[in-house]
Amino acid sequence: MKRRSAMTRLRTRPPRVARLPLVVAIHLAVAGAAYAQDSQPSADAPNPSTTSLDVITVTSQKRTENLQEVPISIQVLGNEKLRELNVSNFDDYAKFLPSVSYQTLGPGYAQIYMRGVASGGDGNHSGSLPSVGVYLDEQPVTTIQGPLDIHIYDIARVEVLSGPQGTLYGASSEAGTIRIITNKPDPSGYEAGYSLGVNSTSHGGIGNVQEGFVNFPLGEQAAIRLVGWHEKEAGYIDNVSGTRTYPTWDEFTGGNGTISNAATARDNYNDIDTTGARLALGINLNENWTVNASLVGQKSEANGLFAYDPAVGDLELTHFYPETSQDNWNQAALTVEGKVGNFDVTYSFAHLNRSDLIESDYSDYSFWYDTLYAYGGSIYNDNGDIINPSQYIQAKDRYRKTSHELRIATPQDNRLRFVGGLFWQDQDHDIQQRYKVNGLSSELSTPGWPDTLWLTKQTREDRDKALFGELSYDLIPDTLTASFGGRYFKSDNSLGGYFGFSAGFSPDSEYGEAGCPTPEPYHGAPCQDFDKSVKESGSLYKANLTWKATPTKMFYLTRSEGFRPGGINRRGILPPYLSDYLTNFEAGWKTTWLDNHLSFNGSVFRQQWKDFQFSILGANGLTEIKNANQARINGAEFEVNWAASYNLQISAGAAFYNAKLTENYCGFTDDDGIPVTECDDPEAPTGTRLPVTPKFKGTLTARYTFDIGSLQAYVQGAGVHVGERTSDLRIMERGILGNLPSYSMFDFSAGIAKDNWALDFFVDNAFDKRGQISRFTECAEAVCGAPGVVPEYPDGQVYVVPTHPRMVGVRFSQKF
């Protein structure tokens, strides 16, 4: 039976402290990639009280390699660092990655951006494909609305690859890739562990978490690993009591046009329950072939909205209809690895099912359109009486994603090396959205869908095939290496179905029931309004020159490309949008110093973004995707790791970005879909800063360990600073939404451990800083954000998605 301390980070110790299996630390933190750099004693270290940096292995280039010898910018959060930083979900680890920025509407709905490649705008089920790919082991888990928000427990590491990864990872890795690598079954011995925690959120409630794993050997050649978790995340947004008066309805009813949220108001209403499990089987068929199969599933049930309305109060809003989401997903995966002759062969398969059920309050849309355009006068019941025009949304989204990859690689120590293969992927998305008004006339309702003013019933399909490869040759063995990679791809994307109003509500519409070309139903909808597809093919390339000046100093030059496929607009009468492409020119270095006690890695780069896709809320609140234009991102990224002493470790990371348009964004394209750049009044002129990404993001960590009698103890601090960001690409909309101010957050923790148990105390966001992740309106900014129209909303109704308030907690863990 394996016995290992839950907090062990040093594999060996000086004789005086050989009893210590635990490394503990202060952590004053700003570091992304550096967090995985654990430490161990150097075999020839002159100072027995000082450790050296650990060797980190990664598989980002489809091979197992030393992080310090991989000529691309990679940030890594290893198993111990994830635990030390109290990471349990995407929000937790994203804040410690300088190259990553994002927008979100709640768990599982993040729009991830890397290296300033961000257009902002609205993202929904019919928006652009993501520009950052997320992988679980070998399998992509990025869906159209966002990646899976996988609970982080029993995870070996999180690898973050910055910049275009188009040759090895394809279409969804235009700006970068995030890989979540799980711990695999181990036939060498039994191992088990668990963790129990409880926490309290300021301005909110009490949460808890239970996690556990067990590794069972099945003889000497096979093992299974079972992992399970349940987490209750406390809410912190209050839906406070209030009323809303609709001017038109109020006029028609003689002063009775007011609604109340008495039925839905409550404190801390954005709580989350997450339950999941992972079962993995590993078999060593012989000395050359292994099989790893896994089945993982997770169910998250969330209430409320993860944003607040500043006009109502801090962490407060007033909403009138139920707001819930259920995110259920499962994935089956298989990876077979072996040798055929002298070649390494890998086959990976995965099938993902994801189902989302969502209820949303959409009364803002009704209120603002009624206030500005008397929309409520068109909403009546079967008796012809004007009724409450409030809308709410009931949505069902089902995703199915199947991927295959077959690749071969030559031996890693060959002077001429090659890795390449085939990839194909099918993604299907069934879309159903009902915009409902209670008591709506049957004449105004979509036929067969009572109370449904607007219905979306569509099917989206995204097909991808690719042939890829990278060839490396040591021009001077152990000193100078040249690499060249390429990817040939074909994509076939389609969108079809029904969208729109009933003929009774909009008799002259080009879409909806009035626009039906035939009376044949489509999946219960009145008809199929449109069925469009777009096909494309092309090639991407990558070139790299790596110089290993000394065994501990490596420098590289890279030119790489990434792309994102075009697609069909949800409003089927609009033209398709084109692919966008990102070209990256980068110089980087990876160095270690002071007898491997200090590492300093970094890169400087210029990226050119061509015809980038930009999603906006158009008429009737529908997402429209347009090709905005050209942009350039200049940047630099740095990370430092220092094993200052046996007790103290310090890490720091920073990213600097200057991301701007290089041509006008006029807001429209020509008949071929090419962005128009010459116009008298551009929506965003040349030189406009790209949104969402700060000019600077930094992290710093420090961890200090010490003994208390027979106990091992630590204190730790972690700090993150995020600079000011703009909220939208367009100048007018940016003025309505306002900028996202800079903020700094600090996390602190302390703990003790002995033998196989550990007790940790932590406080995240210790000073309860209200950082802003994004700002949005529930309909077009010029409508729902209109200033000076409604007295209670002098600046319009703009919501803020905040960082998580201060959270104080305790965790007990044990391994056997």
Side-chain angles (χ1 to χ4, degrees):
M1 181 175 70
K2 291 185 177 180
R3 295 182 64 87
R4 185 177 64 183
S5 166
M7 300 174 65
T8 299
R9 294 178 60 204
L10 298 183
R11 300 180 193 165
T12 59
R13 308 251 192 283
R16 181 176 62 86
V17 290
R19 301 188 303 274
L20 253 96
L22 170 69
V23 189
V24 238
I26 56 170
H27 211 352
L28 221 330
V30 189
Y35 290 119
Q37 304 269 5
D38 297 338
S39 53
Q40 71 181 47
S42 174
D44 57 352
N47 185 350
S49 65
T50 303
T51 62
S52 61
L53 298 172
D54 198 5
V55 174
I56 304 300
T57 58
V58 296
T59 54
S60 53
Q61 294 197 117
K62 310 291 187 178
R63 300 175 180 270
T64 300
E65 299 172 287
N66 182 347
L67 172 66
Q68 289 298 105
E69 296 179 358
V70 179
I72 61 176
S73 179
I74 308 177
Q75 301 166 294
V76 180
L77 298 177
N79 178 276
E80 284 300 315
K81 281 298 180 184
L82 292 168
R83 184 184 183 282
E84 291 169 2
L85 294 171
N86 195 37
V87 169
S88 66
N89 55 39
F90 168 77
D91 288 353
D92 291 339
Y93 66 76
K95 74 178 182 180
F96 291 108
L97 301 172
S99 65
V100 174
S101 56
Y102 67 101
Q103 297 175 301
T104 183
L105 293 177
Y109 301 99
Q111 303 293 319
I112 308 174
Y113 310 107
M114 292 181 68
R115 278 193 170 180
V117 182
S119 60
D122 176 70
N124 71 4
H125 54 261
S126 54
S128 302
L129 286 168
S131 62
V132 173
V134 178
Y135 282 68
L136 179 61
D137 292 320
E138 294 287 335
Q139 296 80 24
V141 292
T142 307
T143 61
I144 295 158
Q145 264 185 293
L148 304 180
D149 194 353
I150 300 167
H151 183 80
I152 303 299
Y153 178 71
D154 197 46
I155 298 299
R157 64 188 180 276
V158 175
E159 298 179 1
V160 182
L161 288 62
S162 299
Q165 307 296 324
T167 52
L168 289 182
Y169 290 95
S172 288
S173 294
E174 179 184 39
T177 300
I178 297 175
R179 305 179 68 232
I180 301 170
I181 311 298
T182 62
N183 286 324
K184 302 301 186 291
D186 182 1
S188 66
Y190 171 85
E191 186 179 16
Y194 67 91
S195 175
L196 304 172
V198 63
N199 54 72
S200 175
T201 296
S202 295
H203 320 284
I206 303 297
N208 60 77
V209 60
Q210 303 90 43
E211 305 161 319
F213 79 93
V214 61
N215 184 89
F216 283 111
L218 302 175
E220 296 181 356
Q221 302 300 320
I224 60 173
R225 194 175 189 96
L226 179 62
V227 185
W229 57 88
H230 174 263
E231 183 175 15
K232 169 71 173 182
E233 297 181 61
Y236 48 86
I237 302 291
D238 295 340
N239 187 10
V240 302
S241 298
T243 60
R244 166 168 279 170
T245 299
Y246 292 87
T248 306
W249 182 36
D250 198 54
E251 179 183 350
F252 273 95
T253 58
N256 293 315
T258 299
I259 62 173
S260 167
N261 71 341
T264 57
R266 72 178 179 90
D267 291 344
N268 311 327
Y269 92 132
N270 63 323
D271 55 308
I272 312 170
D273 267 295
T274 301
T275 302
R278 182 172 72 247
L279 176 64
L281 169 67
I283 304 173
N284 297 326
L285 299 176
N286 54 42
E287 63 180 9
N288 290 327
W289 287 90
T290 63
V291 176
N292 281 283
S294 66
L295 180 63
V296 57
Q298 183 173 286
K299 178 179 181 179
S300 294
E301 297 181 329
N303 295 301
L305 189 68
F306 290 79
Y308 68 93
D309 184 345
V312 178
D314 180 39
L315 301 180
E316 294 179 340
L317 49 68
T318 299
H319 274 195
F320 299 86
Y321 290 87
E323 296 184 288
T324 63
S325 70
Q326 294 184 26
D327 184 11
N328 305 324
W329 59 267
N330 61 77
Q331 184 194 57
L334 173 70
T335 300
V336 180
E337 299 175 283
K339 285 185 175 294
V340 175
N342 209 25
F343 291 92
D344 296 320
V345 179
T346 303
Y347 168 70
S348 297
F349 160 83
H351 180 74
L352 171 69
N353 284 304
R354 183 181 185 185
S355 177
D356 292 340
L357 301 175
I358 303 170
E359 292 182 303
S360 303
D361 183 307
Y362 202 50
S363 59
D364 286 2
Y365 176 95
S366 308
F367 172 74
W368 284 91
Y369 272 92
D370 189 46
T371 300
L372 293 175
Y373 307 115
Y375 142 88
S378 303
I379 306 299
Y380 52 86
N381 61 20
D382 283 331
N383 295 326
D385 301 324
I386 299 299
I387 61 174
N388 175 6
S390 298
Q391 290 188 38
Y392 60 97
I393 303 172
Q394 291 181 344
K396 296 181 180 180
D397 292 279
R398 184 184 178 191
Y399 306 88
R400 293 173 299 278
K401 185 186 187 91
T402 302
S403 64
H404 306 262
E405 182 171 297
L406 177 65
R407 66 178 184 267
I408 61 172
T410 57
Q412 203 162 335
D413 55 358
N414 283 5
R415 187 173 183 179
L416 179 65
R417 302 178 295 281
F418 173 78
V419 59
L422 302 169
F423 174 82
W424 60 105
Q425 175 178 263
D426 293 340
Q427 300 184 76
D428 297 320
H429 182 191
D430 294 334
I431 306 161
Q432 177 181 304
Q433 288 202 326
R434 300 176 66 183
Y435 291 72
K436 300 184 66 177
V437 176
N438 288 335
L440 186 65
S441 163
S442 56
E443 178 187 19
L444 303 181
S445 299
T446 302
W449 302 80
D451 295 339
T452 303
L453 183 66
W454 174 287
L455 175 68
T456 299
K457 191 71 174 174
Q458 297 176 345
T459 301
R460 174 171 177 165
E461 298 179 351
D462 294 85
R463 308 282 184 258
D464 302 281
K465 298 178 181 178
L467 172 67
F468 65 90
E470 287 195 0
L471 184 70
S472 300
Y473 181 69
D474 294 334
L475 301 172
I476 303 175
D478 300 321
T479 302
L480 189 64
T481 301
S483 301
F484 180 79
R487 188 182 189 96
Y488 174 74
F489 64 86
K490 298 179 74 172
S491 63
D492 183 356
N493 303 328
S494 65
L495 180 67
Y498 175 90
F499 71 107
F501 298 107
S502 71
F505 185 83
S506 184
D508 300 321
S509 176
E510 298 180 41
Y511 48 87
E513 186 187 8
C516 281
T518 68
E520 297 177 6
Y522 177 83
H523 297 266
C527 69
Q528 184 171 11
D529 272 329
F530 74 104
D531 184 11
K532 294 185 177 181
S533 63
V534 57
K535 296 181 180 181
E536 48 189 333
S537 61
S539 300
L540 303 170
Y541 299 99
K542 175 183 176 181
N544 175 275
L545 185 66
T546 301
W547 174 41
K548 199 166 186 179
T550 73
T552 60
K553 311 290 187 297
M554 184 261 284
F555 304 88
Y556 66 88
L557 296 172
T558 295
R559 182 192 183 277
S560 57
E561 296 178 334
F563 92 110
R564 178 169 48 172
I568 307 299
N569 270 289
R570 174 185 177 191
R571 189 190 302 276
I573 59 176
L574 295 177
Y577 52 93
L578 306 176
S579 296
D580 56 15
Y581 289 82
L582 184 72
T583 303
N584 174 60
F585 303 90
E586 180 173 344
W589 61 92
K590 293 189 174 179
T591 62
T592 57
W593 307 79
L594 304 179
D595 194 23
N596 200 35
H597 292 86
L598 176 71
S599 69
F600 175 46
N601 300 338
S603 63
V604 293
F605 57 87
R606 166 170 286 188
Q607 297 183 136
Q608 296 176 343
W609 198 10
K610 180 181 179 183
D611 296 337
F612 67 85
Q613 297 164 16
F614 181 42
S615 301
I616 64 171
L617 280 178
N620 303 119
L622 289 183
T623 295
E624 300 177 1
I625 302 102
K626 302 177 181 179
N627 290 94
N629 227 306
Q630 324 308 321
R632 182 176 62 231
I633 303 103
N634 295 327
E637 298 166 347
F638 308 98
E639 58 171 328
V640 176
N641 302 280
W642 182 28
S645 70
Y646 175 77
N647 302 93
L648 178 63
Q649 296 184 36
I650 299 174
S651 302
F656 300 85
Y657 302 116
N658 183 9
K660 294 181 178 180
L661 288 181
T662 55
E663 294 188 51
N664 292 332
Y665 169 56
C666 293
F668 54 93
T669 64
D670 62 20
D671 293 339
D672 296 322
I674 305 299
V676 173
T677 62
E678 297 297 329
C679 53
D680 293 332
D681 187 20
E683 295 187 28
T686 299
T688 298
R689 180 181 168 190
L690 298 186
V692 183
T693 301
K695 291 184 177 180
F696 169 75
K697 181 180 178 181
T699 62
L700 173 68
T701 72
R703 184 175 177 90
Y704 185 78
T705 68
F706 55 97
D707 294 346
I708 303 177
S710 62
L711 299 175
Q712 302 89 51
Y714 76 93
V715 292
Q716 173 176 286
V720 177
H721 177 79
V722 177
E724 183 184 34
R725 293 135 292 146
T726 58
S727 55
D728 197 280
L729 177 68
R730 300 159 296 173
I731 300 302
M732 185 187 76
E733 285 75 4
R734 177 184 300 183
I736 292 172
L737 293 173
N739 285 349
L740 302 165
S742 62
Y743 64 90
S744 298
M745 294 195 305
F746 297 90
D747 301 342
F748 300 101
S749 60
I752 56 174
K754 184 177 182 180
D755 299 329
N756 67 342
W757 62 265
L759 182 64
D760 300 278
F761 303 88
F762 61 87
V763 53
D764 293 344
N765 193 5
F767 304 110
D768 199 26
K769 182 67 175 180
R770 199 73 68 243
Q772 296 186 15
I773 297 174
S774 58
R775 299 170 69 92
F776 68 93
T777 57
E778 287 201 341
C779 66
E781 290 86 354
V783 178
C784 285
V789 175
V790 180
E792 57 265 40
Y793 295 106
D795 298 319
Q797 193 169 13
V798 177
Y799 292 88
V800 174
V801 178
T803 55
H804 197 286
R806 177 174 52 234
M807 183 171 66
V808 178
V810 60
R811 177 181 62 212
F812 178 81
S813 55
Q814 192 171 19
K815 287 187 179 180
F816 305 95

